[in-house]
Each structure stands twice: as structure tokens, then as C-alpha cells.
Amino acid sequence: MKKFLNDPAKFVDEMVQGIVAAHPKQLKFAADDVRCLVRADEKKEGKVGLATGGGSGHLPLFLGYVGKGMLDGCSVGGVFQSPSAQQMFEVTKAIDSGAGVLYIYGNYGGDVMNFDMAAEMADVEDIRVEQVVAGEDVASAPKGQESKRRGVAGIFYVYKIAGACAEEMASLDEVKRVAQKVCANVRTMGVALSPCTIPEVGKPTFQIGENEMEIGMGIHGEPGIQRGPLKTADEVVEAMLRPILADLPYQKGDEVSVLINGLGATPKEELYVMYRKVNEILEAEGICVYHAYIGEFATSMEMAGASISLLKLDDELKYFLAKPANTPFFEQAQL
Amino acid sequence: MKKFLNDPAKFVDEMVQGIVAAHPKQLKFAADDVRCLVRADEKKEGKVGLATGGGSGHLPLFLGYVGKGMLDGCSVGGVFQSPSAQQMFEVTKAIDSGAGVLYIYGNYGGDVMNFDMAAEMADVEDIRVEQVVAGEDVASAPKGQESKRRGVAGIFYVYKIAGACAEEMASLDEVKRVAQKVCANVRTMGVALSPCTIPEVGKPTFQIGENEMEIGMGIHGEPGIQRGPLKTADEVVEAMLRPILADLPYQKGDEVSVLINGLGATPKEELYVMYRKVNEILEAEGICVYHAYIGEFATSMEMAGASISLLKLDDELKYFLAKPANTPFFEQAQL
């Protein structure tokens, strides 16, 4: 394990302390807990609060999207571990300004359980909470069983669009409706080339052969749908994109946003070689790309690999996607 | 070698094609050459043109910083190879709007030779060209021999500040003066944990032991100043930051910007663990951080490692640093 770290047990806390030290105008701690983070700027009365949370090791997920035009707060757990319900509740209290709070998080057992508990705790305090669970990994469950799917990089679109909607002072029901529409319109597929190492564990999360890849693997190393010899970039893109296109399905005349996400160690150069092929396939299918995002949006520390996400757009989603955002890990001017 | 690629000989061209396909509103090809790139928006008459160039494999360097508030054009070579003088000249012609062109590039033999030739070709065509060569790696040559130093991640600051200056319609002499001031005020030190593999070569650029690090190594694997067992993050930061502080020297009362740059495979989590210590040391030294940049700004594909850069600010540099920028790989709202 070759990492820049001090005591592995302090890895997450030191990382979060570094983030807040680096971005003091954007982020601050809530409830005297370094794992509860909220926007540093003044709370806007009557704005719906957006909260997320999840395990560490996925930067920019989750806390990196707290900021203007996206989220209001986030609780972070240990590496690949859910934060506690109490931490989620502390964030809820800190960001509520009377209009209620929307939880947006990925479909993982621990997170679902803890966010449910946090919502109950909020209910006792008369804070209205609604929840949207993102799950769009087509490799993780077949069509017809969408509610079993894992949430991966596509949650970025939920944060971006629901965040822009909340920024315009929409009601909790309205923000929830828009967030759900994003979830319904996004699909993702991943591929892994190498594992990562959790600092406190000290050995790789899984084994994979020197010339192997695994299509459909999750961001914690969850099993994929096909392991075999590493193919060319164009072949890998075909194997990832075809199941995505077939699933929704995305069709001729659709307008989409594309997200190519690096899992950590994969160079941006390779992500763009992949995008070249994605763009070629979409053009041939008569699907128009409104905007492409390429980079690291949801990682697994130093895992090598990538994911492709497609979001089908309508005028409403496009309007909110185009709005500016300003967070420590994601900046966008009006598109 | 585990990479997403097709024919290694086509890696760079396919990568650039992917970049232009992904960012068509921001970038376009010049002179029918996929290795000559310029801003896609309309040329502003009378604005000084800023050009850079260098080997591929360092994204976001070099072409990723072409865009509003930064550069106007870039020529890219093969992986770790200089583009040709002819390509640099084509970019020069494409971006000149009568106010002249400033070349900003890193201090590497091939680039220096080719940019010199391109400047001569421009002179024949009556395009006024000035040059600023960035070199700030304190590990690459001792104090007193600054002109021998390699240019690494600190060139980001030169692009950012000279770009903002040019955007305000400053003269070529003025933009050059500001760019030179940035070069004089920035220092960098790197550390490498693992090598990278050039696609056409197919094997790692250097060897390093399972538990070793090399302080001061360059972004092409140039030798550093100290190879030894991997230390804690805090110790590594001490070993990198102290020589930087001593070199300028940066002193009590100084205001700086800090750049912590990941070389490719190093997770953002670890960069923030490093920043925590950087911030602690600077606070103890009475040096104030105006703004911190943390992420990947100048990489070596999938190399694991990082660099730290400090830029000493005055009111003028701060003013231009704070200006917005909008490029495919770097966005910033007004600070």
C-alpha cells in the first residue's frame, strides 16, 4: 500500500480537516463534528435544504458537491462506510430553514437504513424530510428491478439539477419531483481494471489478473457482469454503452448529457479516448449530446477504471443542468 | 500496461479528437492539424494572443487551459515529446489579432528549441512574438541557477494570471511583465511513488521499490534529490515544503496561493491530507493563504505522486488570480 497518509485510523478526519482548511469560504463543520459538513455561506430562509451522505473514498462524492447551486450539507462515514443516523440528523438540523430537507443518496443498505432513521428523528423535531434514492447502475440489477440498482456516478446529475431547482426557491415537493425525474432518466455502466486499498485494511479490495478487466463492477468492487481480457478502448466502450442505450432505451432524436467518470487512477487522456467512441456511437444512433462532463466525479480512491452515464434531457432538466454551480470540487458557469 | 486505448500510435490523436468532440464550444482545430488547437469563440481584435505547447500525457496541461481568461492556443506533441516548430507557428498565426503573441512554456530542451524557431518564423511574417519560459522546480537546480530549473505545475499560475491580464486588453509588454513576475514568485517540489507507462513504449518509465518514494522527481521521471522509504504524509510534506520556503524565501507576512497537484493516480483524499499539513506549517510560519488549488493540474498519466507549489502574491497578482476563467479543464468564478 503506497499512500500519502499518517495514522490510517485518522485518514478520514485529516482528509476532511484538509478540505475545510482549503475551502473555508465554501464549507464549515456543523455540530462540532468534522464528519458533518454544511455550506459556509449564509442560509437562505425558505430554501429547501439538500443533504447527502455516504462513505469516504469517493471524492468528489459526497461532500465535494456541497456548495452554491448544488447541496447544502453532507455527512461522511469512514472509507466505504455509511455515516451514522445521528450525523445525518445533525446536518438536517443545520441546513433546515423552514422549507424542509431533501435527502439524496445512493442505494446502499447502510445508507438507506441510516437516512431512514435520520428522517424519523427529523420528524420528531417537526422538520419535514423527503428522500430520493439514486440507483442507476444497469449492471447491478436487470430492467424491471430498477429499485435494486446501485447508485454510482449518475447521482452527480441529481445533485446538480435538484440543487439548481432548490436555488430557485422551489418547494420541497417540486425539488423532489425534479430529482426523481433525473433518477428515472439516468443510466450508468462501469468497468474496473484494478482494485484500491482501504487505508485501515491495508490490502487490495479484490484481485484481478494482469490483463483482465471487469465490466459492470461497482465502485466498492461489487461483482460485475463480465470478466475477461482487456479489450481495446473502442470495444470496452461498446460493451458499456450498448446495455445503457438498450435499458432506458435511449432513442433517435433524444438529447442527452454524457458523463465519463474516472475511478481514480485512470488518466484523463484515456477518458477522452473513450469519449471519442461514445460520441461516434451516439451520432450514429441519432442521439444528440447537449453537454459532456469528463473527469473524476465519483471515484474509488486509486482504482483504475471508468464509468459512462447518460442522462436523457427535456427542457426542464436542461434548464437546471445549465445553471451555474460553485462547490469545492465542481464549478460551472452558465452553459 | 493496463490502459483504455486502441492503437498506441493513434493514442494522442484520438485523445485530442475526444477533447474537441467533448468541448466544441470551447476548442477547435487550427490549420487542419489535430495537434494545433485554438479557442473556438471569436478572436478579439487587439487582444494579445497567449500560446503554449508541450508533450502529451500531462492533462490538464497543456491544451486543457485553452479558453476564456487563460490561453488562446496550444500545440501538442506525442506523449512526453515536443510539438514541432511548424505546429507552434500555425497556432501563432491562428491566434494573432495584431497585438502580438506571448509564448508561455516549460523549460525543456525540445520545447525551447522549437518555440525559438517558431518565433523566428513568426518574425518573418511580421507577427511580434515574446517568450516566457517557466521553470520553478527547486529540486532540478540549486538557487542561483534558476534558469536551469524545470517547469512543472506552477505554470498553471502563469497561464491563469497572464491570461486574465491579456483578457483586459493589456499590451504584449505588459502581459509579458506580469507573466515573468509570476515565474519569479512561484516555486514547486514534487514527489513520486510510482512510474507511468507511455503507450507506444509499453513499459514503465522508471523503477521504484515497493515501499520507496523519490522526493524531487520530475514529471517525466527525471531524477529527484532523495530516494528512500515512504514516510508519513506529514513527513513528506515537511520534506517538500521546507526547501520551497527556504528558496524564495517565503517569509512571515507573505500572502500566497498554494497548489497541491496530483500526478495522476494519487486520490484527492491524500492530496487533502497533505494540504492539512501544508496549512499547519504555513500558519505556524505566519504565511497567509489567499486561495488553495487542490487536484490534478499537471499530471504524468497514471503516475502516483504529488507536487506542492507556492505563489507569492502582491495586489496585482491577486487581482488577476481572482478573475474568472472558463476552459475545458479549469473553471473559476470570480474569487
Side-chain angles (χ1 to χ4, degrees):
Chain A
M1 179 176 59
K2 242 175 166 179
K3 285 177 182 288
F4 296 117
L5 60 86
N6 298 304
D7 177 356
K10 293 184 181 156
F11 178 66
V12 170
D13 288 354
E14 289 186 349
M15 178 258 296
V16 180
Q17 286 162 356
I19 292 176
V20 172
H23 308 290
K25 287 183 200 156
Q26 292 171 293
L27 284 176
K28 64 181 180 189
F29 299 122
D32 282 330
D33 184 339
V34 299
R35 298 193 180 194
C36 296
L37 294 120
V38 297
R39 274 169 66 166
D41 54 341
E42 213 166 325
K43 208 155 71 171
K44 212 153 126 193
E45 282 308 309
K47 181 187 155 323
V48 170
L50 267 57
T52 194
S56 293
H58 302 301
L59 285 178
L61 281 186
F62 295 89
L63 75 149
Y65 298 121
V66 174
K68 197 167 163 54
M70 295 185 83
L71 303 167
D72 299 284
C74 178
S75 45
V76 304
V79 175
F80 297 177
Q81 293 170 350
S82 177
S84 72
Q86 184 65 40
Q87 287 167 324
M88 294 166 177
F89 176 54
E90 293 297 342
V91 168
T92 309
K93 281 192 291 185
I95 68 172
D96 178 52
S97 69
V101 172
L102 182 66
Y103 294 164
I104 302 171
Y105 55 93
N107 189 20
Y108 295 92
D111 295 320
V112 174
M113 189 184 73
N114 288 327
F115 271 111
D116 276 346
M117 277 174 58
E120 282 173 30
M121 293 157 88
D123 188 53
V124 171
E125 303 253 336
D126 284 329
I127 301 173
R128 194 178 153 212
V129 165
E130 293 287 339
Q131 305 191 46
V132 170
V133 184
E136 59 350 318
D137 184 341
V138 298
S140 58
K143 198 168 166 66
Q145 300 182 33
E146 283 81 0
S147 66
K148 292 187 185 165
R149 287 178 172 171
R150 292 187 295 260
V152 280
I155 202 168
F156 158 77
Y157 283 123
V158 193
Y159 297 155
K160 174 69 195 72
I161 288 170
C165 181
E167 210 70 56
E168 298 203 345
M169 305 302 279
S171 70
L172 180 55
D173 289 336
E174 188 66 3
V175 180
K176 183 183 180 185
R177 180 188 64 75
V178 167
Q180 282 174 325
K181 196 205 274 190
V182 178
C183 291
N185 283 12
V186 68
R187 295 293 183 275
T188 297
M189 175 80 98
V191 59
L193 300 188
S194 78
C196 64
T197 296
I198 299 172
E200 287 196 77
V201 176
K203 57 179 189 191
T205 46
F206 60 89
Q207 301 290 330
I208 187 164
E210 247 318 295
N211 291 301
E212 277 189 328
M213 64 171 182
E214 184 158 334
I215 301 260
M217 180 169 269
I219 56 172
H220 310 95
E222 296 92 340
I225 51 176
Q226 186 196 329
R227 184 178 281 214
L230 177 58
K231 299 191 178 157
T232 67
D234 286 356
E235 288 166 337
V236 173
V237 167
E238 283 274 359
M240 293 165 79
L241 190 54
R242 292 296 172 191
I244 292 175
L245 291 175
D247 193 88
L248 195 71
Y250 298 85
Q251 291 168 315
K252 189 174 169 166
D254 283 352
E255 194 169 18
V256 299
S257 176
V258 179
L259 170 62
I260 305 212
N261 170 56
L263 293 184
T266 291
K268 291 179 179 64
E269 283 82 359
E270 297 176 31
L271 302 180
Y272 279 99
V273 169
M274 296 177 86
Y275 183 73
R276 178 182 165 277
K277 183 66 181 176
V278 168
N279 187 56
E280 189 184 297
I281 293 173
L282 294 178
E283 249 181 30
E285 294 289 329
I287 296 167
C288 169
V289 178
Y290 169 66
H291 191 75
Y293 295 95
I294 295 158
E296 294 180 356
F297 290 79
T299 64
S300 288
M301 297 196 291
E302 74 281 9
M303 197 187 282
S307 65
I308 300 173
S309 303
L310 285 195
L311 171 67
K312 183 174 165 170
L313 294 167
D314 60 14
D315 286 346
E316 183 181 49
L317 297 184
K318 225 160 80 173
Y319 171 81
F320 290 125
L321 188 66
K323 289 278 160 191
N326 184 302
T327 82
F329 289 74
F330 180 73
E331 291 229 21
Q332 176 177 296
Q334 175 77 37
L335 293 183
Chain B
M1 181 176 56
K2 246 176 162 177
K3 286 176 181 289
F4 296 118
L5 59 86
N6 300 304
D7 177 356
K10 292 184 182 156
F11 179 66
V12 170
D13 289 353
E14 290 187 348
M15 179 258 295
V16 180
Q17 285 161 358
I19 291 176
V20 172
H23 309 289
K25 287 181 201 157
Q26 292 170 292
L27 284 176
K28 65 181 180 188
F29 299 121
D32 282 331
D33 184 339
V34 299
R35 299 194 178 193
C36 296
L37 294 120
V38 297
R39 276 169 66 166
D41 54 340
E42 212 167 324
K43 208 155 69 170
K44 213 152 122 193
E45 282 308 308
K47 181 187 155 322
V48 170
L50 266 57
T52 192
S56 292
H58 301 300
L59 285 178
L61 281 187
F62 294 89
L63 76 149
Y65 298 120
V66 174
K68 197 167 163 52
M70 294 185 84
L71 303 168
D72 299 284
C74 177
S75 46
V76 304
V79 174
F80 298 176
Q81 293 171 349
S82 177
S84 71
Q86 184 64 39
Q87 288 168 323
M88 294 167 176
F89 176 54
E90 292 298 342
V91 168
T92 308
K93 282 191 292 185
I95 67 172
D96 178 52
S97 69
V101 171
L102 182 66
Y103 293 165
I104 302 171
Y105 55 94
N107 190 18
Y108 295 93
D111 295 320
V112 173
M113 188 184 74
N114 288 326
F115 271 112
D116 276 345
M117 277 174 57
E120 282 172 30
M121 293 157 89
D123 188 53
V124 172
E125 303 254 335
D126 284 330
I127 301 172
R128 193 179 153 211
V129 165
E130 292 288 339
Q131 305 191 46
V132 170
V133 184
E136 37 29 289
D137 184 339
V138 298
S140 57
K143 198 168 166 67
Q145 300 183 31
E146 283 82 359
S147 67
K148 292 186 186 168
R149 286 179 172 170
R150 294 186 294 259
V152 281
I155 201 169
F156 158 77
Y157 284 123
V158 192
Y159 296 156
K160 174 69 195 72
I161 287 171
C165 181
E167 210 71 55
E168 298 202 345
M169 306 302 280
S171 70
L172 180 55
D173 289 335
E174 188 67 1
V175 180
K176 184 184 178 185
R177 178 188 64 78
V178 168
Q180 282 174 323
K181 195 206 275 189
V182 179
C183 291
N185 283 11
V186 69
R187 295 292 184 275
T188 297
M189 174 80 98
V191 59
L193 301 187
S194 78
C196 63
T197 296
I198 298 172
E200 286 197 77
V201 176
K203 58 179 188 192
T205 45
F206 60 90
Q207 301 291 330
I208 186 164
E210 247 319 296
N211 291 302
E212 278 188 327
M213 64 172 182
E214 183 157 334
I215 301 260
M217 180 169 270
I219 58 174
H220 309 94
E222 296 93 339
I225 49 175
Q226 185 196 330
R227 184 177 280 213
L230 178 57
K231 298 193 179 155
T232 68
D234 285 357
E235 288 167 336
V236 173
V237 167
E238 283 274 0
M240 293 164 80
L241 191 54
R242 292 295 173 193
I244 292 175
L245 291 175
D247 194 87
L248 195 70
Y250 298 86
Q251 290 169 316
K252 189 173 170 169
D254 282 352
E255 194 169 19
V256 299
S257 176
V258 179
L259 170 63
I260 306 213
N261 169 55
L263 293 184
T266 291
K268 291 178 180 62
E269 283 81 0
E270 297 176 32
L271 302 180
Y272 278 99
V273 169
M274 295 176 86
Y275 182 73
R276 179 181 163 277
K277 184 65 182 175
V278 169
N279 187 55
E280 190 183 296
I281 294 173
L282 294 179
E283 249 180 32
E285 294 290 328
I287 296 168
C288 171
V289 178
Y290 168 67
H291 191 75
Y293 294 95
I294 294 158
E296 293 180 354
F297 290 80
T299 65
S300 289
M301 297 196 292
E302 74 281 11
M303 197 188 282
S307 66
I308 300 174
S309 304
L310 286 195
L311 171 67
K312 182 174 166 172
L313 294 167
D314 60 15
D315 287 346
E316 182 180 50
L317 297 184
K318 226 160 81 173
Y319 171 82
F320 289 126
L321 188 67
K323 290 279 159 189
N326 184 302
T327 82
F329 289 74
F330 180 74
E331 291 231 20
Q332 176 177 294
Q334 175 76 37
L335 293 184

